């Protein structure tokens, strides 16, 4: 695979699809388009038709989006990370094993010719005995550029399924998964708690409620305190908007409880609102010099750094 002045970055997640034109040297985003056609929706559409096999069905959509790029930039190499290499994606690749280094040398990948002098590079995920991920491993090797000055720590990548990855001297080792985001959605929409919470905006009152829940989750765990969310509403007539953040705090506190006595560096890398929630909780028990904050902008660039590393690796 040849490296040109630009490459096409494809971030194909479960719920969303994003295509970007990237200047290789600077990683400047020249053009970007997002759709709601993540692999979950695409796979449902694939199953509803019979004209194309799975690979061609996904390629048909991908190349249709590529044709929207500016003239002269539609034939650059494409690199796809995330769920595109899953069993409901474009082409299933097996998971690589931990540990892995910042170069991504042990990742499993596949180069697929899609046009004359144009290839698609698919990157698979990583697994351990305690978890798995697809997409975050590429972010991790990009984030490695920001971790060089630290000998070790725990990298937190919160989300629907949060990932905690142990980092030590340029390599990533143990992986833990937490279904915190999905649990919040399921409990908030499909459990008895759904009538006791209401979506709210983050403010001083929301922060107070979040920290109350966070402390309970951190010290006692979430399970003994979940029904208390409903009791606060039904028995004590507490605000359902407060309960929204109290439930969030309870689940996040439970997720982070094992870090209370670790004393390790904690690297937090997360987008927008999630970043603020985890930061608020972590600041209550992690020393300032041990909490390294990597915001949305860093996380966005890290994905591109990781994708460029993989392209360069395959160009050798």
């Amino acid at each position: 695979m040849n490296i040109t002045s630009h490459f096409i970055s494809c971030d194909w997640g479960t719920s969303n699809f994003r295509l970007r034109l990237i200047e290789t040297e600077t990683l400047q985003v020249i053009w970007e388009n997002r759709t709601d056609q993540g692999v979950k929706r695409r796979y449902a559409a694939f199953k509803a038709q019979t004209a194309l096999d799975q690979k061609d069905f996904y390629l048909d959509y991908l190349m249709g989006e590529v044709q929207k790029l500016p003239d002269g930039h539609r034939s650059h190499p494409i690199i796809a990370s995330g769920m595109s290499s899953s069993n409901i994606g474009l082409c299933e690749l097996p998971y690589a094993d931990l540990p892995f280094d910042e170069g991504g040398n042990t990742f499993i990948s596949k180069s697929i010719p899609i046009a004359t002098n144009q290839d698609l590079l698919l990157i698979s995920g990583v697994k351990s005995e305690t978890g798995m991920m697809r997409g975050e491993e590429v972010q991790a090797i990009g984030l490695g550029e920001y971790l060089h000055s630290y000998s070790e720590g725990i990298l937190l990548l919160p989300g629907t399924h949060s990932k905690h990855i142990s980092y030590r001297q340029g390599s990533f080792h143990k992986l833990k998964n937490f279904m915190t985001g999905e649990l919040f959605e399921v409990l908030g929409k499909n459990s008895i708690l759904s009538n006791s919470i209401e979506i709210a905006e983050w403010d001083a009152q929301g922060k107070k409620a979040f920290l109350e829940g966070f402390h309970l989750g951190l010290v006692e765990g979430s399970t003994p305190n979940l029904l208390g969310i409903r009791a606060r509403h039904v028995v004590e007539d507490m605000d359902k908007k407060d309960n929204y953040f109290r439930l969030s705090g309870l689940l996040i506190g439970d997720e982070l409880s094992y870090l209370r006595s670790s004393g390790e560096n904690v690297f937090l890398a997360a987008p927008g609102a999630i970043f603020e929630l985890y930061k608020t909780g972590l600041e209550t028990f992690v020393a300032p010099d041990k909490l390294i904050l990597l915001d949305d902008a860093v996380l966005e660039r890290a994905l591109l750094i990781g994708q460029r590393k993989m392209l360069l690796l395959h160009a050798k």
Side-chain angles (χ1 to χ4, degrees), residues 96-115:
D97 292 314
L98 269 79
F100 61 90
D101 62 25
E102 293 179 21
N105 296 285
T106 59
F107 288 175
I108 295 172
S109 58
K110 183 175 184 177
S111 184
I112 302 174
I114 52 175

Side-chain angles (χ1 to χ4, degrees), residues 126-153:
V126 173
K127 65 176 174 62
S128 71
E129 293 181 353
T130 56
M132 57 187 179
M133 56 186 173
R134 285 191 191 269
E136 292 89 353
E137 74 289 337
V138 176
Q139 289 178 324
I141 64 172
L143 287 168
E145 301 292 311
Y146 299 88
L147 308 183
H148 284 155
S149 57
Y150 305 95
S151 60
E152 59 185 9

